[in-house]
Amino acid sequence: TEVRLKSNVAILRRIVRHVKKAESEEDLYVRLLRDYPAWCAAFLDNSKRRPLILAPWQIESHDARVRFPQVWTMACRKTGKTAGLAADQAWQLCALENTRSVAFAPTADQGYVFGMMREHLGGGILHDIYVKEGGAVLGDEISLSNGSKMIKHGLALAASRGKYSLGEFGDNFVIDEYQLIPRDVYTSIIQPMRFDAYSRKTTVFIGTADLDANPTLDQLWEDWGKCEGCGEAFKALEERCSSCDMRRERATLSVDVERGIMEGCVNPKEVDRFKAEATPDEVDMYLYCRFPRQSDRFYDRAMLYATPIGDSFLKPDEGGFPTPEAGAVYAISVDWAKQHD
């Protein structure tokens, strides 16, 4: 696309500029390391073994991760979420010394980010610089000669609800396919790893808008878009609240199908076929990063226990329709499977 071509050309020109200005190979590498998109194009490959030239949204996601302690990106299916996150984390391992990163995936088989990182660092120039002397690329761990490492954890939700990961620690946490991790697993296993004050913590979440495993995920997404101090809604990726000037620590980025098409990440013909076959909820969730409007039909246990208990309190009016009782709180459930019947 025109947008993607313009972005790609700009990245390649930056590489040429660094090459011309560098005084040595060491100086060239330092210059590229400070220029994230250029570094990726110079040292990382995509799945076709061609230079990894990032889309504009992938660059924006990396910039947000550098600026904010916690970043949650929701993107349309097949926009390059995993590739972008793997590139970002490979850069971080190389750029920052003595950093312990932990990558979480719902199951061991879904560790795609870690798998791509192993390919990036398993050979070539980066392997010679960071792994050949003093590093290692193993099945579940990548350690570099600069003291940084990445550990992979499959949460084994069916077998242990993530309890095999208890006791893990680190400076940087990566949660892939966040929508598939139940809320109780995140709050009891992963989130407490941010508690210790021995290092600055960063966390990256990435996934799509799906409520199957975590019915309250939409509420959390809305909370992340508001100031933790006064509740004012943030505009885009602004760093401070316009009302109370509190520094923002949790940022959100949404990449829908229209942006994916515009930036050359998504095939519009396949999208049209999907729209013709998918339900309205599936179109909202998987293409437009929107939670279903009916999502507020879900209630947690505290809410259900707070509803009136006793005799029937819905009394019919003259027309036979139930009349809500003034001041009462009602919980209404809708069978998800019957939503589109």
Side-chain angles (χ1 to χ4, degrees):
T1 63
E2 183 178 349
V3 171
R4 186 60 176 272
L5 177 62
K6 183 178 179 180
S7 175
N8 289 359
V9 170
I11 292 172
L12 295 177
R13 285 177 176 172
R14 285 155 70 168
I15 295 176
V16 172
R17 187 165 59 247
H18 290 312
V19 171
K20 290 181 177 180
K21 291 184 178 180
E23 298 178 356
S24 64
E25 289 186 359
E26 291 76 12
D27 181 42
L28 175 59
Y29 183 78
V30 171
R31 288 175 178 273
L32 290 171
L33 190 60
R34 293 172 179 169
D35 187 339
Y36 173 68
W39 184 86
C40 290
F43 299 107
L44 305 184
D45 291 337
N46 61 21
S47 60
K48 300 298 183 182
R49 297 300 178 188
R50 297 173 181 172
L52 179 63
I53 303 180
L54 298 173
W57 84 260
Q58 294 170 322
I59 299 172
E60 182 181 6
S61 179
H62 167 81
D63 291 341
R65 190 195 60 74
V66 172
R67 291 163 53 197
F68 301 99
Q70 299 188 71
V71 177
W72 181 359
T73 299
M74 275 205 303
C76 163
R77 290 290 190 185
K78 300 307 174 185
T79 47
K81 298 186 298 294
T82 301
L85 183 55
D88 170 78
Q89 292 301 305
W91 176 88
Q92 173 157 305
L93 278 187
C94 296
L96 303 180
E97 297 180 351
N98 302 312
T99 299
R100 182 183 176 91
S101 298
V102 185
F104 292 99
T107 67
D109 293 335
Q110 290 175 300
Y112 304 122
V113 170
F114 186 85
M116 286 188 177
M117 292 178 63
R118 290 182 75 246
E119 291 184 7
H120 292 327
L121 294 160
I125 296 176
L126 295 182
H127 182 275
D128 292 342
I129 297 175
Y130 294 102
V131 180
K132 193 173 183 178
E133 297 183 9
V137 177
L138 307 175
D140 293 325
E141 181 178 321
I142 298 171
S143 59
L144 305 186
S145 57
N146 64 3
S148 291
K149 64 173 55 180
M150 167 73 81
I151 297 96
K152 182 190 78 168
H153 278 275
L155 289 171
L157 296 177
S160 71
R161 301 292 289 177
K163 290 182 173 57
Y164 295 149
S165 299
L166 279 171
E168 184 58 272
F169 64 97
D171 312 300
N172 174 57
F173 305 101
V174 180
I175 297 93
D176 192 16
E177 300 294 357
Y178 179 43
Q179 78 281 357
L180 298 180
I181 298 177
R183 178 182 176 181
D184 66 299
V185 174
Y186 174 73
T187 55
S188 63
I189 306 297
I190 302 175
Q191 192 173 26
M193 296 179 190
R194 292 183 51 87
F195 288 178
D196 76 70
Y198 300 115
S199 65
R200 178 181 181 272
K201 309 297 183 188
T202 56
T203 308
V204 186
F205 306 80
I206 199 161
T208 52
D210 193 329
L211 294 169
D212 187 37
N214 190 342
T216 61
L217 201 62
D218 56 340
Q219 299 170 18
L220 185 61
W221 177 260
E222 291 179 7
D223 289 343
W224 272 51
K226 300 176 183 178
C227 173
E228 294 182 85
C230 67
E232 182 76 15
F234 285 110
K235 297 178 182 178
L237 290 172
E238 61 182 353
E239 297 185 12
R240 289 190 174 277
C241 177
S242 58
S243 296
C244 69
D245 198 42
M246 182 176 182
R247 184 171 181 80
R248 187 178 188 181
E249 294 194 355
R250 304 186 305 182
T252 59
L253 178 64
S254 179
V255 184
D256 66 14
V257 68
E258 304 300 335
R259 183 170 181 181
I261 292 173
M262 181 179 65
E263 296 185 3
C265 302
V266 180
N267 185 335
K269 291 183 179 180
E270 292 300 331
V271 169
D272 290 339
R273 292 190 182 102
F274 178 83
K275 288 180 178 179
E277 300 173 3
T279 66
D281 280 0
E282 289 170 338
V283 171
D284 276 346
M285 292 187 297
Y286 303 139
L287 296 184
Y288 291 97
C289 307
R290 295 193 297 252
F291 291 102
R293 291 188 301 273
Q294 300 87 354
S295 61
D296 55 359
R297 66 185 179 277
F298 293 103
Y299 295 88
D300 59 24
R301 184 171 298 179
M303 176 64 181
L304 292 175
Y305 282 151
T307 59
I309 299 175
D311 296 334
S312 174
F313 47 82
L314 285 178
K315 300 178 181 180
D317 59 13
E318 294 179 356
F321 294 100
T323 302
E325 179 181 331
V329 179
Y330 299 95
I332 302 174
S333 65
V334 177
D335 187 347
W336 173 272
K338 299 293 189 289
Q339 178 64 27
H340 297 290
D341 287 358

